[in-house]
Amino acid sequence: MGDVTRFDSGAASAAREGARLLRRGDLEGAEAPLRAGAAEGDRSAANNLGLLLHQTGRTEEALTWWRSAAVAGSAPAAHALGRVQRDRGDEVAAEYWLRQAADAGHDSAAYALADLLDHRGEDEATSWYRVAAERGHREAAYRYASRADEPETWYRFAAARGHRRAALRLGALLEEQGRTAEAGRWYLDAAESGEPRAACALGFLLRDAGDEHGAEQWWRRAARDGDGSAANALGALHAERGERGEAQRWYRAATEAGDTNGAYNLGLLSADRGRDGQAEQWYRRAAYAGHREAANALAVLLLQRGDEAGAEPWFSRAAESGSVDAAFNLGILYARRGDTTLARRWYEHAAESGHAEAALQIGMERLRESRTDRDRAAAVRMLRAAAEGGSPEGAFRLASWLERAAASGEVPEVTEARADRAVGGGPATGTGRDTDEDGRPEYERWYEHAAERGHRRAQVRVGMAAATRGDIVEAADWYRRAAEAGSSHGAFNLGLLLAREGAEPEAALWWTRAAEAGHGRSALHLALLASRRGDLGQAGEWCDKAVELGPDAVAERAGRLRDALRTELTA
């Protein structure tokens, strides 16, 4: 027993001495005591000897000592065996030793086992990531977070232990939840630890908060560390400031860093300056790298050049990659060729993805083809989707339809809703007769929606509604907006308002503008105005113009006035 005590004491002492020297980096000095301890059966000495031998290139002998230690119950040695065997491609042996170490409570072995199983696509990997994470392994916690029901908990666990990518992901998760202040703190933590993507994300967060200077500083830091997204953001920042040279420099840096947005934006810059050749080169570079909007822009450029055959495959490539604009453009392309089937297919594809103008095209086509209330209701729903998606023309068309439906008592959306309720659908909404707090019908709201976005015919309709209510000031304002934007109807109606208010000289100016733009009724009113002033020659000229412009009722009246003027002139 005393021999055993002396034996154990000597082996342990040698093992401790060898471990001390090994930690100091004295590999030559550590080898002898470690061999002595290992030879006496000390498993820690055997494990450390294996480590020393592996570090000095004597892996086969290292495996022998690790195996000896692992059999004796050393989890670190079993882990080391598993790692080496995996590096050698022997996954069966690797799994055996890693499981032995993991089962013995070795956190790194549990992680390595999870990684091995994950590589094979085995579901068991998730449970081992969790085991390793619960034992404090931060990389395991990071890997487990994306699979966990409570990802925030595990990202936070890893981030709190200095895992930069976990801090980045935690920041992104918090930002998605609207917890921007805390997200910023984690982005900052990761950025200051050298994570360029976190610095870039922090820049965007600061920009959204109105701190452009702070955003620029972090983007510069990220871009210097090779982050292409940050370089592209800097390019956009300088482009907004009108600093084309700096914008171009940063877009190039983004491109060189592998961010295809850089090449795409260089194409946009070139196209904006009329350098279509350069724009095409940059668009092609980005498009070949998979940038769908660059592919769409390239197709548009080729189409403008008259190369429809060259444009089509790029539109297709972009649309099939998810570009909603490209899908809409394909619809336009096929509609121009008269291929209504393919045009509708791509319009519907774009509309389903939220493209307002595509929804408008589908809605108008369905209205033209509608035969039943259900058909018309489906068409109106597409017009509503276009309007709600931001299309001024969609809002105008929806308003026009709702106004006609309200006047005629035909409300297809109600008919459709009734049919839906028969099979368990919900209540009807949006009939055109709905009113707001001021008692205005829904169609007026949509006219105003379109008018506020510059739709000239809608501006005229809003002006007419205001005039009907007796609000002459508002009516004049809308008519003037429409007229100044080039609407002859707006100019005519504005002239009528002014004339009624006694401002005939100004009314004549607007009628003249309208008549010169082809508005026959304006020409007739100018003829009447001139005849009242006694300027029969000018009145006759405007009568000729009104007859020429029409429509028929105006031409007929202008003709009678012209005949009367000629009679008076020859009397």
Side-chain angles (χ1 to χ4, degrees):
M1 204 54 190
D3 289 340
V4 172
T5 303
R6 287 194 302 274
F7 168 76
D8 288 343
S9 177
S13 176
R16 286 195 297 272
E17 177 63 14
R20 184 182 68 80
L21 293 169
L22 186 63
R23 285 194 297 270
R24 288 175 52 186
D26 184 358
L27 302 186
E28 184 176 352
E31 184 171 348
L34 288 177
R35 282 191 180 277
E40 293 293 338
D42 188 290
R43 66 186 187 187
S44 67
N47 175 59
N48 285 333
L49 178 58
L51 178 62
L52 183 151
L53 293 168
H54 183 60
Q55 289 178 351
T56 55
R58 293 171 282 175
T59 302
E60 291 304 323
E61 187 181 358
L63 290 174
T64 300
W65 286 109
W66 275 333
R67 191 173 291 108
S68 173
V71 169
S74 170
H79 171 239
L81 275 171
R83 293 294 299 273
V84 171
Q85 295 293 8
R86 185 179 179 187
D87 289 343
R88 290 183 163 192
D90 188 348
E91 292 192 359
V92 174
E95 182 179 350
Y96 172 81
W97 290 113
L98 290 174
R99 281 190 184 278
Q100 182 171 306
D103 287 338
H106 196 285
D107 61 328
S108 293
Y111 169 74
L113 176 59
D115 185 63
L116 175 63
L117 296 171
D118 196 10
H119 176 71
R120 294 179 189 166
E122 297 184 21
D123 293 339
E124 188 187 359
T126 299
S127 62
W128 281 110
Y129 278 135
R130 175 154 191 155
V131 167
E134 289 173 341
R135 292 173 182 172
H137 196 287
R138 66 180 189 179
E139 181 65 24
Y142 171 72
R143 298 278 287 274
Y144 177 66
S146 62
R147 306 155 185 257
D149 293 332
E150 60 288 350
E152 181 183 336
T153 299
W154 293 104
Y155 281 134
R156 192 179 294 277
F157 179 92
R161 286 157 179 77
H163 196 291
R164 297 183 306 186
R165 286 175 295 154
L168 170 64
R169 294 296 295 272
L170 177 58
L173 191 65
L174 294 168
E175 185 178 1
E176 288 174 5
Q177 297 172 359
R179 297 154 66 184
T180 54
E182 189 179 0
R185 289 195 293 272
W186 285 110
Y187 283 149
L188 179 61
D189 185 67
E192 290 180 337
S193 297
E195 175 55 63
R197 290 175 298 172
C200 180
L202 181 58
F204 281 111
L205 203 63
L206 291 170
R207 181 204 61 183
D208 293 343
D211 185 359
E212 186 177 290
H213 176 73
E216 182 176 358
Q217 298 308 306
W218 283 107
W219 281 335
R220 285 185 181 278
R221 179 168 173 172
R224 284 196 301 268
D225 290 336
D227 190 279
S229 181
N232 185 68
L234 283 169
L237 186 65
H238 287 290
E240 289 171 5
R241 295 172 179 169
E243 300 165 358
R244 291 180 177 271
E246 276 295 287
Q248 188 175 38
R249 181 170 78 86
W250 284 111
Y251 284 148
R252 284 183 180 275
T255 303
E256 291 166 2
D259 190 313
T260 55
N261 287 314
Y264 171 58
N265 285 326
L266 282 168
L268 292 176
L269 271 185
S270 299
D272 189 50
R273 301 173 72 177
R275 298 176 179 177
D276 289 350
Q278 286 184 3
E280 181 180 348
Q281 291 177 4
W282 288 115
Y283 288 152
R284 283 189 183 277
R285 179 167 177 173
Y288 276 120
H291 196 292
R292 63 193 184 193
E293 297 309 328
N296 179 60
L298 174 60
V300 170
L301 193 65
L302 294 172
L303 192 62
Q304 290 171 342
R305 191 184 296 166
D307 185 3
E308 186 174 303
E312 183 179 351
W314 284 111
F315 276 139
S316 296
R317 183 170 177 171
E320 289 166 0
S321 297
S323 170
V324 180
D325 287 337
F328 176 66
N329 288 334
L330 266 180
I332 294 174
L333 188 67
Y334 289 124
R336 283 170 48 176
R337 293 179 184 172
D339 190 337
T340 56
T341 300
L342 278 177
R344 173 179 284 195
R345 172 192 163 192
W346 285 109
Y347 281 146
E348 288 179 344
H349 182 84
E352 288 169 0
S353 299
H355 196 288
E357 298 304 324
L360 171 62
Q361 293 298 323
I362 294 297
M364 295 305 299
E365 182 180 357
R366 289 181 178 176
L367 273 182
R368 288 192 297 270
E369 297 177 352
S370 63
R371 297 292 181 271
T372 67
D373 283 345
R374 185 178 292 273
D375 292 339
R376 285 187 286 275
V380 173
R381 280 200 298 272
M382 293 306 296
L383 292 182
R384 191 177 294 281
E388 291 173 349
S391 168
E393 182 67 20
F396 176 77
R397 296 283 185 172
L398 175 62
S400 299
W401 174 259
L402 292 174
E403 183 178 19
R404 289 195 301 272
S408 66
E410 179 184 12
V411 189
E413 290 177 286
V414 172
T415 303
E416 176 74 1
R418 286 173 181 159
D420 287 344
R421 285 201 298 273
V423 292
T429 58
T431 66
R433 294 176 180 145
D434 294 344
T435 59
D436 60 14
E437 294 177 356
D438 298 327
R440 295 185 306 164
E442 183 190 8
Y443 61 79
E444 282 194 25
R445 299 201 301 272
W446 283 115
Y447 278 136
E448 188 168 318
H449 182 86
E452 288 170 348
R453 285 154 182 78
H455 194 286
R456 295 181 300 182
R457 286 194 292 166
Q459 289 170 339
V460 173
R461 297 297 299 179
V462 173
M464 292 171 64
T468 300
R469 294 194 304 269
D471 191 339
I472 303 303
V473 174
E474 183 181 354
D477 178 60
W478 283 112
Y479 288 150
R480 190 178 299 276
R481 290 197 207 184
E484 290 174 347
S487 169
S488 58
H489 291 292
F492 173 70
N493 287 349
L494 179 58
L496 287 179
L497 277 186
L498 292 167
R500 289 168 187 164
E501 296 297 315
E504 286 190 347
E506 188 179 355
L509 291 175
W510 287 109
W511 283 335
T512 300
R513 178 185 288 195
E516 290 173 348
H519 197 276
R521 291 181 66 193
S522 293
L524 176 58
H525 276 70
L526 286 167
L528 292 168
L529 200 62
S531 67
R532 286 201 298 271
R533 291 198 312 266
D535 191 343
L536 303 185
Q538 188 179 63
E541 292 175 4
W542 283 117
C543 281
D544 290 340
K545 187 74 171 176
V547 169
E548 175 190 341
L549 296 174
D552 292 343
V554 169
E556 182 182 353
R557 186 179 176 189
R560 290 199 304 270
L561 178 60
R562 181 175 58 186
D563 292 342
L565 290 172
R566 286 173 179 172
T567 300
E568 188 171 344
L569 284 169
T570 57

